[in-house]
């Protein structure tokens, strides 16, 4: 148990960071619906720092697992958590690692779903903005030569008031 306590600690930190990332994604959804760009800017900065933290924890996890597997006489570039759990040892450790791995998997799945939903909200907002601009700007007629060519006219954004 002692030899994987460090791994469990790192995974619990990752779990905490992913929970904060999920909370951030939920808050981002609210700000997108409200159209609060300043709040969204601050939240994106906060989200970026959480992602940086997760990346650092992932590097720590990889290094810990590599060292642990080297001590067990196994060497490779990287090992998955499943490979670590399949090493004979304490069943409590295996259960603990399985529990944390499942929680992480579920959180990542939920974050992915929420981010996809947020991306759809952003696309819908952009489509609305493009539509609104299209309503304000008249389409320019085709300019050509000859009697059938139309004259140019100013659009609403160029008109003098």
């Amino acid at each position: 148990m002692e030899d994987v306590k460090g791994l469990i600690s790192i995974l619990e930190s990752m779990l905490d960071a992913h929970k904060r990332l999920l909370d951030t994604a939920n808050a981002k959804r609210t700000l997108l619906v409200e159209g609060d760009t300043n709040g969204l800017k601050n939240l994106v900065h906060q989200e970026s720092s959480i992602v940086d933290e997760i990346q650092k924890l992932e590097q720590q996890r990889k290094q810990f697992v590599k060292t642990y597997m080297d001590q067990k006489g196994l060497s490779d570039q990287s090992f998955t958590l499943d490979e670590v759990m399949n090493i004979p040892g304490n069943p409590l450790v295996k259960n603990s690692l399985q529990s944390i791995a499942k929680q992480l998997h579920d959180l990542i799945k939920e974050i992915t779903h929420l981010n996809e939903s947020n991306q759809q909200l952003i696309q819908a907002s952009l489509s609305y903005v493009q539509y609104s601009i299209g309503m304000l700007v008249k389409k320019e007629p085709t300019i050509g030569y000859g009697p059938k060519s139309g004259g140019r006219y100013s659009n609403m954004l160029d008109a003098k008031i």
Side-chain angles (χ1 to χ4, degrees), residues 132-138 154-161:
S132 297
I133 289 174
M135 294 294 290
L136 295 173
V137 178
K138 291 183 183 179
S154 65
N155 60 39
M156 196 181 293
L157 295 177
D158 290 338
K160 289 184 182 179
I161 299 178

Side-chain angles (χ1 to χ4, degrees), residues 38-94:
N38 289 331
L40 191 60
K41 180 181 171 185
N42 292 335
L43 203 60
V44 167
H45 178 69
Q46 182 182 5
E47 181 182 46
S48 177
S49 66
I50 294 170
V51 169
D52 289 343
E53 179 185 345
I54 290 171
Q55 288 174 342
K56 288 176 186 173
L57 287 167
E58 177 64 13
Q59 290 303 317
Q60 289 176 8
R61 183 200 63 81
K62 284 180 180 179
Q63 184 59 44
F64 185 92
V65 169
K66 183 175 180 346
T67 304
Y68 175 74
M69 297 302 261
D70 285 344
Q71 290 172 357
K72 295 290 181 183
L74 303 167
S75 61
D76 197 355
Q77 289 292 60
S78 65
F79 290 95
T80 64
L81 198 52
D82 287 333
E83 292 170 327
V84 174
M85 287 187 287
N86 288 333
I87 292 180
N90 190 340
L92 291 175
V93 171
K94 185 175 181 177

Side-chain angles (χ1 to χ4, degrees), residues 28-39:
K28 190 190 307 182
R29 179 180 187 83
T30 303
L31 293 175
L32 284 170
V33 170
E34 292 173 355
D36 182 2
T37 55
N38 289 331

Side-chain angles (χ1 to χ4, degrees), residues 140-153:
E140 295 289 333
T142 306
I143 299 174
Y145 298 104
K148 293 185 180 179
S149 67
R152 291 183 68 119
Y153 51 85

Side-chain angles (χ1 to χ4, degrees), residues 92-123:
L92 291 175
V93 171
K94 185 175 181 177
N95 289 340
S96 179
L97 289 174
Q98 283 177 335
S99 172
I100 293 172
K102 182 178 178 353
Q103 289 177 38
L104 270 172
H105 182 293
D106 292 345
L107 271 173
I108 290 170
K109 190 174 179 181
E110 192 173 348
I111 290 168
T112 302
H113 175 71
L114 200 53
N115 281 340
E116 288 170 356
S117 176
N118 286 345
Q119 188 175 5
Q120 289 173 352
L121 278 173
I122 291 170
Q123 288 298 326

